[in-house]
Amino acid sequence: MFDSKARGFLNLLIILGITLKTNGFYVGITYVENAVAKGAVCLDGSPPAYHMDKGFGAGINNWLVHFEGGGWCNNATTCLARKNNRLGSSKQMVKEVAFSGLLHNKAKFNPDFYDWNRIKVRYCDGSSFTGDVEAVDPATKLHYRGARVFRAVIDDLLAKGMKNAKNAILSGCSAGGLTSILHCDNFRGILPRSTKVKCLADAGYFINAKDLSGAMHIQQFYADVVKTHGSSKNLPASCTSRVNPSLCFFPQYAAQQIRTPLFLLNAAYDSWQIKNILAPGVSDPHGKWHFCKLDIKKCSPAQIKIMQGFRMEFLSALAKLGKSTVRGTFINSCYAHCQSEMQETWLRNDSPVLNNKPIAKAIGDWYYDRAPFEKIDCPYPCDSTCHNRIFE
């Protein structure tokens, strides 16, 4: 007979198994070992890595390449802080990751892309895959080689069959979402002209806005990222030829001239941007925004008013892209960051919707040209379908 503790543990394992079966499945890691000889390495010099679940049936020649997020490092000190963890070294990455949402392999959970080759590229360079500095600092042993990593991973996938792609999507979440914007036309140019290519940026539309103190905190931070990683030469030339290259890390400047169809999935109250662009710690020395940043329901009326102003800045930055017949937008009024990787926000009975469409349906319709989708939500707290994040 089981005692009560053993029975409880068994029940927990059963629940976890059911949850995983419903919301995702695990996929093993692949290291791009031959990239090291090309200098295409993580911050610590280790090889790049990705996780791939092969396509099948009608999707065998379709490819979805999704880039992981994880912020950026803007100088030797902050890059050193990442060097010995998963964001700077493939040696520190877990051997398996869960695939769910747009990476799921079941039609019920991912109807338009379930049978595609689905790849999650791990993030270990700290520059949204834009850096390329030849010299390795002898003191820190840091390698700033994100752009080379991008190409090495893509070349590895081309050799595994992506060179014959019928359909392809470059996507990403957060810093990976920014990657999918900055490399969108580049990715299109690498693939055969016959391939139908589109890009999806999830929570990658970071805006150039002042913080609570009126300082241009994020603008200086991005300028330092671009300088440290030598990113200028790998940012879209259509942008760097018009404005200071450091501004081209912002989608509102870089995405104006992108020719490849692009879908922007973003929360107007992006929780990362509220915490790090609008109200970074340096602008809130007394911590008045601490609880508000953790849970939007704990924000005061005055704080909500400021956040409504941030939403208007976000929409203004989005409008700078101008009109496009091929662009898609799903801008909801949730307090969230990244909504494509989690089953609960991608496609479930209670998922967020705009115009009665969940995210998966909106993006699927847009990719396959079944219907255009450009929707912007009403202001918070009007949307009852939101999954607002609560942070510890």
Side-chain angles (χ1 to χ4, degrees):
M1 294 289 288
F2 286 123
D3 61 28
S4 59
K5 284 186 178 180
R7 188 178 295 110
F9 181 68
L10 180 61
N11 288 338
L12 177 62
L13 288 177
I14 292 170
I15 291 169
L16 288 173
I18 292 171
T19 301
L20 178 60
K21 188 174 181 180
T22 301
N23 291 330
F25 60 100
Y26 285 108
V27 177
I29 198 166
T30 297
Y31 300 99
V32 189
E33 298 286 0
N34 64 3
V36 178
K38 306 170 188 173
V41 293
C42 299
L43 286 169
D44 72 333
S46 58
Y50 61 81
H51 303 256
M52 176 178 173
D53 191 46
K54 290 184 178 180
F56 55 92
I60 199 164
N61 287 320
N62 299 336
W63 294 73
L64 191 156
V65 185
H66 184 79
F67 282 78
E68 182 181 36
W72 310 270
C73 58
N74 66 327
N75 54 44
T77 301
T78 56
C79 289
L80 270 174
R82 300 162 74 101
K83 184 181 175 184
N84 294 314
N85 65 38
R86 67 177 180 82
L87 292 174
S89 173
S90 62
K91 297 175 185 176
Q92 305 302 323
M93 295 172 183
V94 294
K95 299 297 187 287
E96 293 183 322
V97 296
F99 273 25
S100 62
L102 87 167
L103 296 173
H104 212 295
N105 65 353
K106 297 287 190 294
K108 177 182 178 182
F109 303 113
N110 187 25
D112 285 306
F113 312 113
Y114 73 97
D115 56 356
W116 288 35
N117 295 282
R118 286 150 287 106
I119 297 95
K120 182 169 186 173
V121 182
R122 303 303 298 274
Y123 184 39
C124 66
D125 70 278
S127 74
S128 284
F129 299 87
T130 62
D132 192 358
V133 177
E134 183 65 37
V136 177
D137 187 328
T140 64
K141 301 294 194 293
L142 286 167
H143 299 70
Y144 300 113
R145 303 284 180 74
R148 293 193 204 183
V149 169
F150 178 89
R151 188 59 204 240
V153 168
I154 297 301
D155 284 347
D156 200 59
L157 296 175
L158 289 170
K160 289 181 176 176
M162 195 167 71
K163 66 180 183 294
N164 301 315
K166 180 181 177 183
N167 293 286
I169 292 177
L170 181 71
S171 69
C173 149
S174 190
L178 181 58
T179 299
S180 69
I181 295 172
L182 298 178
H183 283 285
C184 186
D185 281 345
N186 178 19
F187 183 69
R188 159 70 280 180
I190 292 170
L191 289 168
R193 291 183 65 182
S194 60
T195 308
K196 178 175 183 172
V197 179
K198 296 189 179 184
C199 303
L200 163 64
D202 178 9
Y205 204 87
F206 300 94
I207 68 168
N208 189 12
K210 293 179 180 179
D211 66 20
L212 294 170
S213 71
M216 303 298 289
H217 174 78
I218 191 65
Q219 182 176 309
Q220 185 56 55
F221 180 84
Y222 274 0
D224 291 341
V225 171
V226 170
K227 180 180 178 181
T228 297
H229 291 266
S231 299
S232 294
K233 59 184 175 291
N234 297 309
L235 297 172
S238 58
C239 179
T240 57
S241 62
R242 293 182 296 109
V243 300
N244 187 305
S246 65
L247 291 177
C248 296
F249 219 67
F250 289 101
Q252 67 202 75
Y253 310 109
Q256 290 177 10
Q257 308 300 320
I258 289 176
R259 300 179 301 279
T260 309
L262 172 66
F263 195 104
L264 299 169
L265 164 62
N266 228 103
Y269 308 87
D270 186 294
S271 56
W272 190 95
Q273 296 195 53
I274 297 295
K275 291 193 289 180
N276 296 281
I277 295 180
L278 176 64
V282 67
S283 72
D284 183 31
H286 303 295
K288 293 180 180 179
W289 279 71
H290 176 74
F291 293 107
C292 173
K293 289 192 292 184
L294 297 179
D295 183 352
I296 195 170
K297 290 183 178 178
K298 294 181 179 177
C299 297
S300 69
Q303 288 169 329
I304 291 293
K305 185 176 180 180
I306 292 170
M307 289 168 69
Q308 299 293 19
F310 182 85
R311 171 182 177 269
M312 294 309 297
E313 282 194 78
F314 181 90
L315 297 182
S316 176
L318 192 65
K320 284 183 167 58
L321 299 186
K323 294 291 184 182
S324 169
T325 58
V326 295
R327 189 182 305 122
T329 51
F330 189 110
I331 310 298
N332 56 11
S333 287
C334 310
Y335 188 64
H337 184 65
C338 291
Q339 299 178 87
S340 65
E341 295 179 341
M342 295 189 300
Q343 199 59 51
E344 64 180 280
T345 44
W346 176 249
L347 183 63
R348 212 170 64 177
N349 291 337
D350 61 343
S351 293
V353 297
L354 279 184
N355 204 37
N356 294 317
K357 280 189 183 182
I359 293 167
K361 177 67 172 169
I363 292 172
D365 284 352
W366 166 81
Y367 181 82
Y368 282 109
D369 302 311
R370 294 189 294 250
F373 196 90
E374 286 188 277
K375 301 296 177 186
I376 295 174
D377 210 351
C378 48
Y380 176 86
C382 72
D383 190 341
S384 62
T385 70
C386 278
H387 286 239
N388 293 320
R389 292 289 306 276
I390 298 174
F391 299 89
E392 295 297 327

